[in-house]
Amino acid sequence: MTEAGEPLRLRVGSELAGGRTDAVLAELLELSRTRVQKLLDAGAVEIEEATGSSRAPRKSEPVVEGWIFVARVPPPETTRLVPQDLPLEIVYQDRHLAVVNKAAGMVVHPAPGHPEGTLVNALLHHLQDLSGVGGRLRPGIVHRLDRDTSGLLVVAKTDTAHRRLADALRARRVKRLYQALVWGRFADAERTVDAPISRDPRDRKRMAVVQGGRRAVTHLRVREDWPAAQLLDVALETGRTHQIRVHTAHLGHPVVGDAVYGAGGARGISGPARRWADDLERRVTRQFLHAAELAFAHPITGAPEHFEAPLPQELATVVEWARPLRR
């Protein structure tokens, strides 16, 4: 995990206490659980006891607040990814990091079914260096956006920047503000959702609010109020998979255009607003979710960094159409 391959000491905070060792390590190390399990099998991770001794943890062992893991992670394998000259908007870059504005439809990193054409392939073409902390298939990737979500991502170009940005994310020192269009209308202008998220027990390809899942907190604020939908500002306190989409759908107000959690949203609208809702559904050509704002302290200099990305044209056009019809 370090440039010199030195052991990395990781302290378990209260928010991770009680989780499985392999799952907690996967989050702390920003690695896949499969890779973490291989490290555990190889004896590359130990728990540092208060007495100064150490022991090897079990994969399924519940972690305890205050534990210190000592992890020895080998350097990542040489990437076999192919740099591709794909369109990529680089908002900012220096020798430590880059901020990009990802287009909707682009997968962040290679995965089954998406071996190329990803953001990583584009980064390898457009940037000279990427950190290796993310592993062979995720070089430089500190956090992700869903395939059909557009907007801002920070990418690490050095391992030190990667570790510090990942630490800032875990400590909730990175501001991530999204714009989302959701079906229906919330009664309150502001609302906080604190509901745990895990794999949907009925469909493992989906996420859901599940008792005993990982804590997930989302802050919602109504930005614009329309006849059958609302444009929201959404701030993430945590960063679970599909968090915004799952939380809004759980409240009965799924993201417009979300084929997984909000398909057929117009059917839930009745009365005079139904025709407007049908028209909106035809106009929204993809998931209406955009990472509009990103702010953090620079991982090396400590200087405050703040970036904004306007709605892409296909979403901005919908907003302009809806505005004259606002109540």
Side-chain angles (χ1 to χ4, degrees):
M1 291 292 293
T2 66
E3 282 90 339
E6 301 169 352
L8 183 65
R9 300 175 79 253
L10 305 161
R11 187 180 187 279
V12 176
S14 59
E15 73 281 1
L16 296 175
R20 283 175 55 110
T21 288
D22 54 1
V24 169
L25 279 170
E27 180 164 351
L28 290 173
L29 292 168
E30 293 287 317
L31 299 175
S32 70
R33 189 181 295 191
T34 298
R35 190 176 179 202
V36 165
Q37 289 172 343
K38 290 180 179 178
L39 292 174
L40 289 166
D41 289 338
V45 180
E46 295 179 334
I47 300 171
E48 188 176 274
E49 305 278 13
T51 60
S53 60
S54 60
R55 67 176 179 86
R58 301 187 305 276
K59 296 176 188 177
S60 60
E61 183 175 358
V63 303
V64 176
E65 181 181 359
W67 271 8
I68 295 177
F69 287 113
V70 179
R72 295 171 176 82
V73 182
E77 301 174 42
T78 303
T79 179
R80 298 185 182 88
L81 293 171
V82 178
Q84 291 180 289
D85 187 5
L86 304 171
L88 181 65
E89 181 183 352
I90 300 174
V91 177
Y92 168 84
Q93 70 168 313
D94 57 29
R95 64 192 183 93
H96 305 289
L97 61 86
V99 175
V100 300
N101 185 11
K102 185 186 83 71
M106 176 178 275
V107 175
V108 169
H109 57 75
H114 300 285
E116 57 182 33
T118 71
L119 177 65
V120 165
N121 295 108
L123 290 170
L124 290 171
H125 173 82
H126 291 281
L127 303 181
Q128 291 185 343
D129 299 294
L130 290 173
S131 81
V133 173
R136 185 174 65 85
L137 297 180
R138 304 180 186 184
I141 300 302
V142 179
H143 61 120
R144 292 174 288 176
L145 293 177
D146 298 338
R147 174 180 179 174
D148 292 325
T149 298
S150 56
L152 296 171
L153 279 168
V154 61
V155 175
K157 298 172 76 172
T158 68
D159 288 357
T160 297
H162 197 141
R163 289 196 310 276
R164 292 179 181 177
L165 286 168
D167 287 344
L169 275 167
R170 284 191 290 269
R172 302 172 185 175
R173 297 193 302 268
V174 177
K175 178 181 179 181
R176 290 170 290 170
L177 187 67
Y178 293 71
Q179 288 187 31
L181 184 63
V182 300
W183 287 111
R185 306 172 74 193
F186 286 102
D188 301 321
E190 296 187 12
R191 183 165 184 172
T192 293
V193 190
D194 187 344
I197 290 177
S198 186
R199 290 285 171 186
D200 189 331
R202 297 167 298 181
D203 183 351
R204 301 296 292 175
K205 295 181 180 180
R206 294 164 52 106
M207 307 301 288
V209 170
V210 177
Q211 189 67 29
R214 298 174 69 189
R215 186 170 186 242
V217 182
T218 307
H219 303 285
L220 309 173
R221 184 177 68 84
V222 177
R223 185 186 185 97
E224 298 192 21
D225 196 2
W226 301 334
Q230 288 178 322
L231 185 63
L232 307 180
D233 284 330
V234 184
L236 288 180
E237 187 171 320
T238 56
R240 309 306 176 207
T241 302
H242 300 174
Q243 180 172 317
I244 295 172
R245 299 161 62 196
V246 170
H247 272 172
T248 55
H250 177 68
L251 296 176
H253 300 280
V255 172
V256 177
D258 186 344
V260 176
Y261 302 102
R267 293 196 296 270
I269 308 298
S270 60
R274 176 58 187 268
R275 178 177 292 182
W276 185 93
D278 287 336
D279 201 355
L280 173 66
E281 194 164 48
R282 286 191 293 269
R283 291 173 182 271
V284 176
T285 57
R286 56 96 163 173
Q287 183 173 287
F288 200 121
L289 186 58
H290 176 68
E293 192 172 341
L294 183 64
F296 53 88
H298 193 285
I300 306 301
T301 68
E305 304 287 354
H306 181 265
F307 305 94
E308 295 185 12
L311 287 172
Q313 188 58 48
E314 70 272 15
L315 301 186
T317 298
V318 173
V319 172
E320 290 305 313
W321 166 81
R323 277 177 174 157
L325 301 177
R326 283 184 298 171
R327 291 187 176 181

